[in-house]
Amino acid sequence: MPSPTQTDDALVARIAADPRYAALVRDRQRFSWILTAITVVVYSSFISLIAFDKPLMAQPVGGGTISLAVVLGAAMLVGTVAICAVYVWRANGSYDARVADLLADARA
């Protein structure tokens, strides 16, 4: 009877050899890099505005006491949470189902 680690190693090898696994990894990495790029662009744009256009960022919004920097900073935080939510939604809706199919087929 094979040991649990031999069985696990065989299962991992079957999954790694499945072309659907390679496609899943490729799709997940591409989507993750797209979300990462969006986050980097947004954050670096915000920092660049702070560094190079302080008068713009100091402008009050709507005639009040809150500056544009505060509004954009809050929007950036909300956007970051939204990006995380999009990834979780995609992972739960697509990636998890694909992983479950791979595991079911590999154990069969």
Side-chain angles (χ1 to χ4, degrees), residues 5-76:
T5 56
Q6 289 173 330
T7 305
D8 291 343
D9 291 344
L11 179 64
V12 168
R14 281 195 301 274
I15 292 170
D18 193 323
R20 294 176 300 164
Y21 175 72
L24 171 64
V25 169
R26 185 181 57 250
D27 292 348
R28 193 186 69 199
Q29 284 179 341
R30 183 182 312 123
F31 189 63
S32 295
W33 279 113
I34 289 169
L35 295 180
T36 300
I38 291 168
T39 302
V40 168
V41 167
V42 168
Y43 272 81
S44 24
S45 298
F46 181 73
I47 296 300
S48 295
L49 280 172
I50 290 171
F52 299 114
D53 202 351
K54 287 180 181 68
L56 172 69
M57 296 299 274
Q59 292 293 319
V61 176
T65 58
I66 296 178
S67 70
L68 181 60
V70 172
V71 172
L72 290 178
M76 199 169 51

